[in-house]
Amino acid sequence: MKETNDVQTLTLAAPPSLPSVLARGALLSPLKRGARSSGAPGMRLVLPGVRVDGARLAAYERVCGFAAGRDQALPVTYPHVLGFPLAMRLMAARDFPLPLLGLVHTSIEIDQRRALGPAEEYELAVYLDDLAPHRRGTEAVMVTEVRVGGEVVWESRSRYLARHRTGAADASDAPRDRSAEPARKPLPAVAEWTLGGDVGRRYGAASGDRNPIHLYPLTARLFGFPRAIAHGMWTVARCLAQHGVPQAARIHAEFKAPVLLPGTVTYAAEGSAFELRGGGHGAGEDRIHVTGEVLALDGPS
């Protein structure tokens, strides 16, 4: 481990074991009350020499709807899967102030500078960039970087919300008067997808994220859901597989509401914008699950 400008860098020899990391995070969660001040612990995890497992990649492409093939570039969301165990290790650590159980992934922004090849060797770096008050609790911003030859070729910023009472809770939680707000115009429907009850298990096997809320109705009910819900990163990956992404792109997606499994959802898009709607808690076609945008960056297209 080395320190630079108060940031500790720990280089790992192998990816963390997700089951043990998640178990540790679950055990420590009841001891954490949530941070109420800004700031970020200075720990950066680095994993060099990362190679993509072809079988897992193929399973990921199948469940998310990406084109598969040895010559295809990595799906734009796949580096998130590679970095996920490092992010979970940081968030499951004793000195991470927020409980891992109950953290809600609210948004992700991805900058991809160029297409990433499945046979390339990558260096991953994951760190907590910010920890700040939110009107509903505390928000953590986790950054994942992918480097090739020292150059950042892919970067993401994921926001996670830990809900707890805050000093501003009374004002912020008051009902909003929406009568003067302009009506939201739905994007044109492009496709309707019928989702099986096994989507969470299939994505969990491909990504390693086997959170019980995504697997079975019984395990989801333990956390307050009527049945299993789709992974947020599966929903955005499935949308991007349909939408198409330039080789150099900036993507922003917000997770608005869970998708219950099994269920039916509508993918809609216009220009650079996309959304996933329907399939909610009986709310019908108007329930928005994901909104996002895909913009081309300067570079290969």
Side-chain angles (χ1 to χ4, degrees):
M1 181 184 298
K2 64 179 181 179
E3 299 183 18
T4 305
N5 297 327
D6 297 327
V7 176
Q8 296 180 328
T9 297
L10 178 62
T11 300
L12 305 178
S17 166
L18 262 178
S20 60
V21 165
L22 295 176
R24 175 182 173 83
L27 289 173
L28 291 175
S29 287
L31 307 177
K32 301 180 180 183
R33 301 294 182 181
R36 295 178 182 244
S37 60
S38 61
M43 174 63 75
R44 176 187 180 93
L45 296 181
V46 175
L47 181 63
V50 175
R51 294 283 188 176
V52 173
D53 182 296
R56 287 189 63 186
L57 173 61
Y60 179 89
E61 290 168 333
R62 285 193 298 271
V63 72
C64 295
F66 289 102
R70 190 173 300 175
D71 297 329
Q72 295 285 342
L74 292 182
V76 67
T77 47
Y78 197 69
H80 174 86
V81 172
L82 299 177
F84 185 70
L86 281 70
M88 289 299 101
R89 173 166 168 168
L90 284 180
M91 291 192 283
R94 185 177 296 276
D95 61 353
F96 186 76
L98 307 178
L100 185 63
L101 290 181
L103 275 183
V104 178
H105 195 182
T106 59
S107 71
I108 187 169
E109 184 173 284
I110 296 171
D111 277 3
Q112 178 169 280
R113 273 67 161 181
R114 64 166 176 82
L116 307 187
E120 293 187 84
E121 182 174 286
Y122 301 106
E123 178 182 272
L124 303 179
V126 177
Y127 61 92
L128 177 64
D129 185 56
D130 195 17
L131 193 67
H134 184 279
R135 67 185 183 90
R136 293 182 176 176
T138 302
E139 187 175 66
V141 180
M142 300 295 299
V143 174
T144 300
E145 296 173 340
V146 179
R147 283 181 166 81
V148 176
E151 176 189 2
V152 176
V153 294
W154 188 99
E155 181 179 13
S156 73
R157 296 175 63 84
S158 281
R159 296 181 181 273
Y160 295 90
L161 176 63
R163 292 192 177 101
H164 57 78
R165 294 186 63 85
T166 68
D170 293 341
S172 64
D173 290 342
R176 293 173 57 185
D177 181 7
R178 300 183 182 272
S179 59
E181 295 182 6
R184 180 187 173 280
K185 182 181 178 181
L187 297 177
V190 174
E192 185 175 87
W193 300 328
T194 299
L195 311 179
D198 64 344
V199 166
R201 296 190 292 276
R202 291 173 58 210
Y203 182 84
S207 68
D209 182 1
R210 292 183 172 88
N211 187 319
I213 64 176
H214 304 302
L215 303 181
Y216 299 98
L218 179 60
T219 55
R221 287 190 204 108
L222 297 175
F223 296 89
F225 296 98
R227 55 187 192 268
I229 64 172
H231 295 72
M233 284 304 299
W234 177 85
T235 62
V236 72
R238 184 65 187 89
C239 288
L240 293 173
Q242 177 79 37
H243 191 280
V245 179
Q247 291 185 11
R250 171 167 294 165
I251 295 159
H252 180 79
E254 296 189 5
F255 306 109
K256 301 291 189 180
V259 174
L260 295 176
L261 300 172
T264 301
V265 291
T266 297
Y267 167 77
E270 186 171 47
S272 62
F274 65 86
E275 68 186 19
L276 195 66
R277 60 180 185 251
H281 298 264
E285 188 72 10
D286 292 335
R287 187 173 183 85
I288 302 297
H289 299 288
V290 179
T291 62
E293 187 175 31
V294 179
L295 300 174
L297 294 178
D298 292 337
S301 60

